[in-house]
């Protein structure tokens, strides 16, 4: 009997595909850039399983073109690049990789937060540029975390992990989210629920942790920036399109808020001629929230296990559209 065919849209961490080795005929896209949409359309016609990344557009046309497609497994927790409704209509399970990347992403959020609050990148560049002449009372002043208010938008897995890390910094932590968490969770995390606009007004540092959806697209734009303190710092390690990039540029340029740090941009990668790249009060990293050896291997293994379950007609261990099973 021939093995099911799968297409993996990029090289994954070594050993990540181990669970699939004896169960499938595996084709791996060998290039550094993602396969073009037209290539995906061609590949999907010949496969039973697709292991994809957040850089692949998995839309209705693609899903419907995959006549033999039984399972889609994404190596990421976010799945805004996949038309879940179209997959559900065809009863194709879609897997993702929640949880295993929570700590790594919360760590990066804190790294960016500290860099932005204490102007670490500017300071490092200052030294390398040979500008360091002496100790100066007003050189590269940042903001204290102790006593500040941290506002978390979206208190899910990563938002919670960010809140837990705040406990050693003597911060007040407030949050807004689609659903208020239980009193017990709020007490355990030391967080206080507030309405979104109040969070924007009261926070010294605002960090975004919602999924990208129609509701959260450009959730932060001109009106929201206008509510923030002039000293506020915005951190986004969720999805680029949650922040309106034009509004961010105007706001940072005019000094309406103090700074921002992004691990995600709209679009990705950020074009080299983007005006955002001219701003000193903005830090950008290239979507590396989960980029540790350990985490990426866990994500790849989890995605492989999801894919394997789908090929074997078993429920996916981590499925974003479990309603297909009822
Ligand atoms: N920079 C990176 O490399 C990474 C980015 N991410 C992003 O982080 C996101 C969050 O991941 P998790 O915490 O695991 O997801 P999660 O589902 O546990 O948390 C998301 C939270 O946002 C809340 N939410 C959703 N819509 C909202 C709205 N309109 N207003 C307020 N709150 C809303 C949800 O209720 C939930 O509490 C992912 O969807 C992904 O886009 C995740 C991992 C790595
Ligand atoms: O952005 C990364 C993810 O896992 O989602």
């Amino acid at each position: 009997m021939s093995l099911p065919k799968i297409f993996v849209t990029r090289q994954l961490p070594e050993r990540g595909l181990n669970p699939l080795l004896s169960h499938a005929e595996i084709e791996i896209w060998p290039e550094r850039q993602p396969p073009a949409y037209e290539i995906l359309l061609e590949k999907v016609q010949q496969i039973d399983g697709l292991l994809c990344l957040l850089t692949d557009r998995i839309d209705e046309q693609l899903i419907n073109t995959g006549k033999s497609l039984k399972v889609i497994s994404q190596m990421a927790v976010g799945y805004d690049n996949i038309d879940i409704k179209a997959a559900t209509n065809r009863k194709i399970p879609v897997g993702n990789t929640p949880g295993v990347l929570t700590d790594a992403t919360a760590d990066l959020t804190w790294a960016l937060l500290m860099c932005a609050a204490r102007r670490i990148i500017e300071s490092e560049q200052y030294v390398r540029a040979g500008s360091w002449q002496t100790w100066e009372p007003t050189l590269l002043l940042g903001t204290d975390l102790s006593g500040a208010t941290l506002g978390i938008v979206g208190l899910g897995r990563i938002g919670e992990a960010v809140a837990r890390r705040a406990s050693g910094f003597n911060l007040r932590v407030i949050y807004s989210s689609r659903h208020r968490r239980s009193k017990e969770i709020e007490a355990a995390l030391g967080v206080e629920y507030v309405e979104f606009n109040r969070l924007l007004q009261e926070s010294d540092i605002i960090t975004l942790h919602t999924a990208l959806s129609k509701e959260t697209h450009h959730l932060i734009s001109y009106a929201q920036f206008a509510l923030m303190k002039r000293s506020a710092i915005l951190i986004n390690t969720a999805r680029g399109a949650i922040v309106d990039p034009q509004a961010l540029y105007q706001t940072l340029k005019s000094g309406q808020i103090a700074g921002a740090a992004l691990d995600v941009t709209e679009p990705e990668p950020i074009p080299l001629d983007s005006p955002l790249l001219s701003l000193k009060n903005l830090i950008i990293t290239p979507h590396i929230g989960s980029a540790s050896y350990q985490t990426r291997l866990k994500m790849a293994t989890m995605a492989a296990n999801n894919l394997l379950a789908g090929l074997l007609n078993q429920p996916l261990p981590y499925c974003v559209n479990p309603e297909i099973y009822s």
Side-chain angles (χ1 to χ4, degrees), residues 251-274:
T251 302
L252 289 174
K253 178 88 184 150
S254 65
Q256 197 184 322
I257 69 167
L262 315 174
D263 183 47
V264 286
T265 59
E266 182 194 36
E268 284 185 13
I270 188 164
L272 274 181
D273 62 357
S274 166

Side-chain angles (χ1 to χ4, degrees), residues 4-5 41 49 51 62 89 150 152 155 183 189 209 270 273-274 283 315:
K5 291 189 174 56
L41 269 183
L51 201 158
L62 191 113
N89 285 343
L150 173 67
I152 300 178
L155 197 73
K183 292 247 171 344
L189 292 172
H209 299 289
I270 188 164
D273 62 357
S274 166
I283 298 169

Side-chain angles (χ1 to χ4, degrees), residues 117-138:
R118 296 301 304 273
R119 302 174 62 184
I120 305 289
I121 308 294
E122 271 178 89
S123 298
E124 211 265 351
Q125 287 167 350
Y126 181 86
V127 173
R128 284 180 194 273
S131 308
W132 188 13
Q133 304 289 319
T134 180
W135 188 90
E136 289 179 65
T138 55

Side-chain angles (χ1 to χ4, degrees), residues 62-304:
L62 191 113
I63 289 168
N64 290 339
T65 304
K67 299 287 180 228
S68 53
L69 193 61
K70 285 172 71 174
V71 52
I72 299 170
S73 175
Q74 164 124 315
M75 187 182 132
V77 65
Y79 47 84
D80 46 277
N81 57 314
I82 305 177
D83 188 334
I84 301 298
K85 197 162 158 240
T88 305
N89 285 343
R90 285 211 39 220
K91 299 244 180 290
I92 296 175
V94 178
N96 72 338
T97 61
V100 289
L101 43 58
T102 296
D103 284 326
T105 310
D107 288 347
L108 185 86
T109 303
W110 269 92
L112 289 177
L113 190 161
M114 303 281 288
C115 282
R118 296 301 304 273
R119 302 174 62 184
I120 305 289
I121 308 294
E122 271 178 89
S123 298
E124 211 265 351
Q125 287 167 350
Y126 181 86
V127 173
R128 284 180 194 273
S131 308
W132 188 13
Q133 304 289 319
T134 180
W135 188 90
E136 289 179 65
T138 55
L139 178 65
L140 287 160
L141 302 187
T143 189
D144 275 341
L145 292 186
S146 181
T149 297
L150 173 67
I152 300 178
V153 180
L155 197 73
R157 286 171 292 250
I158 297 169
E160 258 193 64
V162 168
R164 274 196 300 276
R165 281 158 176 73
S167 66
F169 284 92
N170 189 32
L171 284 158
R172 170 184 177 227
V173 186
I174 58 179
Y175 80 98
S176 73
S177 209
R178 201 168 33 178
H179 306 293
R180 184 170 179 176
R181 307 299 298 273
S182 70
K183 292 247 171 344
E184 291 71 27
I185 289 178
E186 288 181 359
L189 292 172
V191 299
E192 181 193 333
Y193 177 80
V194 296
E195 293 297 332
F196 180 53
N197 283 352
R198 199 177 134 205
L199 179 143
L200 299 176
Q201 287 165 328
E202 293 187 7
S203 299
D204 298 293
I205 298 153
I206 296 163
T207 182
L208 307 177
H209 299 289
T210 69
L212 175 62
S213 63
K214 279 198 196 106
E215 286 162 53
T216 61
H217 183 263
H218 290 190
L219 180 70
I220 305 291
S221 190
Y222 294 96
Q224 291 69 38
F225 283 122
L227 292 176
M228 294 179 192
K229 296 182 181 180
R230 282 189 84 79
S231 55
I233 291 170
L234 177 72
I235 313 291
N236 186 9
T237 61
R239 281 290 180 269
I242 298 172
V243 177
D244 175 346
Q246 263 92 39
L248 177 66
Y249 175 73
Q250 299 291 342
T251 302
L252 289 174
K253 178 88 184 150
S254 65
Q256 197 184 322
I257 69 167
L262 315 174
D263 183 47
V264 286
T265 59
E266 182 194 36
E268 284 185 13
I270 188 164
L272 274 181
D273 62 357
S274 166
L276 285 169
L277 291 176
S278 68
L279 298 171
K280 275 203 152 132
N281 53 351
L282 175 65
I283 298 169
I284 307 183
T285 51
H287 205 146
I288 54 164
S290 63
S292 72
Y293 290 109
Q294 299 85 347
T295 295
R296 286 284 165 84
L297 177 58
K298 285 182 198 159
M299 289 165 69
T301 306
M302 204 166 173

